[in-house]
Amino acid sequence: MSLSDHVSPAHTIVILTGAGISKESGLQTFRDPDGIWAKHRIEDVATPKAFARDPEAVLGFYNIRRAQMGDPEIRPNAAHKALGMLERFWPGGVLLVTQNIDDLHARGGSRNLIHMHGELMKTRCNECGHLVEGIGDIETDMVCAACDAAGTLRPHVVWFGEIPLEMKAIEAALGRCGLFVSIGTSGNVYPAAGFVQQARRHGAYAVELNLEESLGVSLFQEGRYGPATEIVPAFVDELRALAEG
Ligand code: BV8
């Protein structure tokens, strides 16, 4: 069976990505042996309680990751760029939902993009909600430029126990897409790991592109395995052939 047996160019496509798509750009994943959670405990750096208990430690954790994005070696790879191209040629439309907080999808050309876990380059005021974008460090004594409150700035990132962003838009897209593609995610974190079931309940064809089988492998009708910079461009080429009939 090939993609054309299940997918038509009129179908909308929803893509979910995780840290694996940015690995070959030089960013760590979370649960690989050399991943972020091998060096930091979620409870210490990625929950509201951690931030309340030790804001310096949490801000420091994100300051280091944000500063890394200034490295010219960290740039969109062939997988990010292929997804940017897909959005331009696919007739039915593409929505890219990423769990990643790096900016590589936007720099890779994707525009119809939702950062459901927030964005590393954005800082939010807990007092007034004002958002600022930039690569500089956030310090605990900083003053909000919009409301003058001090010590209220935090990363615009969704921590564990917080509600992901734009869930209504995501759920609406999952309810009408014809193709759901999961790329570079281990399927550990909810609600993202449950999107495949929501899409399939509404009749979508579901494909997993990953280095290895994810926890949710049995939920997909098809899986293709290998480095994202190889399997994602190949998959997009297949969709291009389908679109060009
Ligand atoms: C929510 C931002 C309610 C921060 C992240 C108790 C209390 C409260 C909630 C819970 C609870 N117990 C469980 C939960 C739910 C919880 C959860 O799922 N916990 C897990 C650990 C069990 N979820 C939440 O708390 C979420 N909120 O539930 O609110 C709600 C929900 C819906 C509606 C209303 C209310 C909030 C979760 C968001 C947390 N924030 N990130 C930061 O980045 O610092 S999550 C974090 O994990 C990142 O976003 C990351 O993207 C995400 C998922 O990880 P992956 O991307 O999959 O990365 P991973 O390393 O795991 O896997 C990488 C994959 O790539 C691997 O499969 C690997 O093989 C592959 N790979 C590697 N190299 C390559 C490759 N693939 C291709 N090519 C390669 N070269």
Side-chain angles (χ1 to χ4, degrees):
M1 299 274 254
S2 81
L3 264 185
S4 57
D5 298 311
H6 306 279
V7 183
S8 121
H11 281 150
T12 60
I13 301 175
V14 172
I15 297 167
L16 172 71
T17 63
I21 200 168
S22 297
K23 180 79 183 286
E24 290 162 271
S25 292
L27 294 180
Q28 289 170 309
T29 62
F30 289 86
R31 294 168 187 83
D32 284 333
D34 63 344
I36 292 174
W37 299 148
K39 304 177 186 79
H40 302 272
R41 292 173 62 245
I42 289 177
E43 302 72 22
D44 294 341
V45 293
T47 67
K49 276 206 190 96
F51 186 56
R53 184 175 59 242
D54 189 349
E56 278 87 2
V58 173
L59 293 181
F61 172 66
Y62 287 98
N63 288 344
I64 290 168
R65 288 172 66 190
R66 191 176 313 106
Q68 192 187 11
M69 296 311 296
D71 178 347
E73 290 303 304
I74 305 275
R75 51 182 179 270
N77 62 47
H80 297 106
K81 290 177 190 165
L83 296 182
M85 295 291 290
L86 174 65
E87 184 180 317
R88 277 193 284 288
F89 73 70
W90 185 254
V94 178
L95 172 65
L96 175 50
V97 180
T98 187
Q99 301 173 88
N100 301 340
I101 61 176
D102 63 59
D103 60 358
L104 297 178
H105 278 306
R107 289 167 55 194
S110 291
R111 293 293 170 266
N112 199 16
L113 170 60
I114 291 179
H115 278 274
M116 67 178 289
H117 292 161
E119 296 176 70
L120 187 54
M121 309 305 275
K122 288 183 179 166
T123 297
R124 185 171 84 231
C125 172
N126 251 343
E127 191 65 29
C128 71
H130 181 63
L131 279 181
V132 284
E133 190 147 4
I135 195 158
D137 288 356
I138 313 174
E139 306 301 346
T140 49
D141 58 357
M142 277 179 161
V143 171
C144 171
C147 72
D148 281 338
T152 59
L153 301 187
R154 60 163 282 178
H156 181 53
V157 161
V158 176
W159 287 323
F160 287 93
E162 296 187 317
I163 298 176
L165 305 175
E166 303 204 48
M167 283 302 294
K168 285 217 178 327
I170 295 169
E171 282 159 0
L174 293 170
R176 61 171 182 267
C177 71
L179 175 61
F180 177 80
V181 190
S182 175
I183 304 174
T185 182
S186 62
N188 267 286
V189 174
Y190 287 85
F195 288 170
V196 54
Q197 286 151 305
Q198 285 178 261
R200 287 205 56 188
R201 248 201 312 279
H202 295 89
Y205 185 66
V207 180
E208 163 172 88
L209 306 179
N210 207 46
L211 191 63
E212 62 203 2
E213 290 185 351
S214 75
L215 287 180
V217 58
S218 62
L219 302 170
F220 292 87
Q221 283 120 313
E222 194 177 323
R224 305 189 185 185
Y225 300 98
T229 55
E230 288 171 22
I231 60 175
V232 175
F235 187 74
V236 168
D237 285 347
E238 253 185 78
L239 288 170
R240 184 191 287 277
L242 198 51
E244 289 165 0

